[in-house]
Amino acid sequence: MLRCLTAPWSVALLFVAISLHGSRAQADEPILIAAGDANGPKQPQAAIANDGTLYVVFGSGEEVSVSSSRDHGKSFSKPVVAFRVPNLSLGMRRGPRITCFGDALIVTAIGGKQGKGRDGDVLAWHSSDRGQSWKGPVQVNDQNDSAREGLHAMAVSSSGEAWCTWLDLRNQRTELFVAKSVDGGASWSPNQLVYSSPEKSICECCHPSMAVDGDTVHVLFRNSLAGNRDMYLTSLQPPLDKSKTRSMQLGKEHWRLNQCPMDGGMLAIDSDGLVSTVWRRNREIFFARNDGKAEQMLAPGEQPWVVSTKAGPIVVWSTRRDGSLMLQSISQDEATEVATSARDAVVVAQSKNATVVFVFWEQSEKGKSSIFSKAIDLESSKSR
């Protein structure tokens, strides 16, 4: 059976010359995937099948478009509008998510009749024919308008269970909820609360992230405790029981901040089963695993993303909003510049044993938004 792995990112790819053994990449020009106006395209996300088929989703205004590549990123199909979402949440890690298993695809997005934070639901569409046709939407949150902050994440297990997590406001505070689907996104389980801050709300507008390892579901989010906006990792196993979930702060220091930085970090499962996490604290990017060891400071920057590969965890981040896009292997001390201007970049790989990663980012110039991509061979210094 064809199986897809969840991954967040965007469209069309280019293989870039890079060596992660001390020398800098010899990068070709990036590939332009889609271009538009101030409304989009924005916020690329993607999933990769085990045969290398790439599925990409992004938003433009109220439209959610999907594209695919069946030649390992050498070319992509023309993006097709899969559906429309009134007042689609976009920007600062808001936007559609995609995952797949076999021939089934699931795309989720948040929208509402009024928008602008006044209402909003997590809506799911599903396709059983690799995106040729779509059914939906099905509402994932079972309390109307509780997902109006517009931030969510999705992942799929090795057995095909799809999981969704989002910032939820049903209890007049920002909490973390989850739901799952066992039928390819056609229906979703009753919602379950997995974390509620003892001081009212978790961080109100930092996106959550999610990864599934066997029966264990891991969710990364930014908390708000004692005046600090620190990252927390919550791990749970079905049947879900909030009293039995494990939540731990990442890192040994605190970020004292009386506002939301709108920067939620990312996680990935290593080949040894540990959870790799990257996140921002103050103006710096940190990396840590859930093994009790101290965090590792990588560099100044924001909006980090991580993926597990044969070479170990690979991290991307921007030096600032619309700044340089950097890539680094955790096993190396130096980062490589992938692009000179980027926002909300993501990096994905086909599996934990992959030797190629795909980097996607959004670029804004003169009021117009575009999506670019590069593929990076981790073992070769030659472009493909």
Side-chain angles (χ1 to χ4, degrees):
M1 173 184 288
L2 177 67
R3 185 167 66 85
C4 296
L5 302 178
T6 294
W9 46 278
S10 201
V11 205
L13 308 130
L14 165 69
F15 286 92
V16 171
I18 184 171
S19 171
L20 294 180
H21 302 285
S23 62
R24 288 194 174 275
Q26 302 297 318
D28 294 335
E29 290 299 316
I31 288 179
L32 173 64
I33 298 164
D37 55 23
N39 292 321
K42 294 182 178 181
Q43 304 297 288
Q45 299 276 325
I48 311 178
N50 63 352
D51 69 346
T53 301
L54 309 173
Y55 297 98
V56 181
V57 65
F58 57 86
S60 298
E62 294 188 341
E63 297 178 343
V64 174
S65 298
V66 178
S67 177
S68 64
S69 172
R70 302 188 186 281
D71 56 8
H72 306 288
K74 296 177 183 178
S75 65
F76 270 77
S77 64
K78 181 180 179 180
V80 174
V81 177
F83 45 84
R84 297 179 63 88
V85 181
N87 295 298
L88 172 66
S89 292
L90 278 178
M92 297 303 296
R93 298 300 190 188
R94 294 177 176 88
R97 299 293 191 263
I98 187 169
T99 190
C100 60
F101 186 85
D103 291 337
L105 301 176
I106 305 172
V107 172
T108 52
I110 296 179
K113 294 180 179 179
Q114 301 179 74
K116 301 184 183 302
R118 290 170 291 192
D119 62 358
D121 298 307
V122 183
L123 305 172
W125 286 257
H126 62 282
S127 171
S128 59
D129 53 12
R130 298 194 177 194
Q132 297 300 308
S133 61
W134 293 90
K135 296 179 181 179
V138 176
Q139 187 170 313
V140 178
N141 55 302
D142 54 20
Q143 178 71 42
N144 290 343
D145 300 322
S146 65
R148 56 187 177 273
E149 183 53 50
L151 292 162
H152 77 296
M154 189 167 53
V156 66
S157 73
S158 58
S159 60
E161 289 184 341
W163 289 86
C164 186
T165 186
W166 64 95
L167 301 191
D168 193 280
L169 293 160
R170 70 185 64 189
N171 295 318
Q172 289 71 57
R173 60 178 65 192
T174 307
E175 299 172 314
L176 199 65
F177 273 73
V178 299
K180 74 172 180 177
S181 174
V182 297
D183 55 8
S187 64
W188 293 82
S189 68
N191 301 171
Q192 292 188 263
L193 173 67
V194 295
Y195 187 86
S196 180
S197 171
E199 296 184 11
K200 190 174 180 180
S201 290
I202 63 175
C203 198
E204 299 86 354
C205 46
C206 285
H207 70 92
S209 299
M210 171 176 268
V212 184
D213 184 28
D215 291 332
T216 304
V217 180
H218 302 282
V219 182
L220 178 68
F221 67 99
R222 192 177 294 278
N223 211 342
S224 179
L225 290 174
N228 299 311
R229 301 289 175 132
D230 300 321
M231 298 302 297
Y232 273 64
L233 179 67
T234 290
S235 301
L236 49 142
Q237 291 182 323
L240 302 186
D241 184 343
K242 180 178 176 295
S243 66
K244 297 180 180 180
T245 60
R246 305 185 308 276
S247 298
M248 58 178 289
Q249 180 192 332
L250 298 175
K252 303 299 183 181
E253 304 296 330
H254 298 288
W255 188 4
R256 193 157 189 83
L257 187 68
N258 189 30
Q259 61 183 5
C260 178
M262 301 186 75
D263 200 331
M266 185 56 184
L267 72 167
I269 309 299
D270 291 352
S271 57
D272 56 7
L274 291 175
V275 182
S276 290
T277 62
V278 290
W279 74 95
R280 173 188 173 192
R281 186 171 69 221
N282 203 343
R283 298 183 181 277
E284 297 171 325
I285 302 299
F286 289 85
F287 170 86
R289 293 185 174 94
N290 61 336
D291 56 5
K293 296 181 180 179
E295 69 269 35
Q296 174 184 346
M297 197 279 282
L298 299 181
E302 60 183 66
Q303 299 296 335
W305 216 258
V306 66
V307 67
S308 293
T309 71
K310 186 176 181 179
I314 303 296
V315 181
V316 297
W317 69 88
S318 291
T319 56
R320 64 182 186 282
R321 192 73 173 164
D322 297 316
S324 294
L325 173 57
M326 309 303 294
L327 179 146
Q328 182 176 338
S329 169
I330 292 302
S331 62
Q332 302 297 319
D333 294 329
E334 294 186 3
T336 299
E337 186 180 63
V338 177
T340 58
S341 178
R343 58 172 61 180
D344 300 345
V346 294
V347 59
V348 298
Q350 186 176 344
S351 72
K352 299 173 187 177
N353 295 316
T355 59
V356 175
V357 297
F358 306 102
V359 185
F360 297 85
W361 66 94
E362 180 186 321
Q363 184 169 310
S364 179
E365 185 176 5
K366 296 180 179 180
K368 296 183 179 180
S369 180
S370 304
I371 294 172
F372 288 87
S373 67
K374 286 183 179 179
I376 299 175
D377 191 330
L378 302 175
E379 293 187 335
S380 173
S381 60
K382 296 181 179 180
S383 295
R384 296 207 258 169

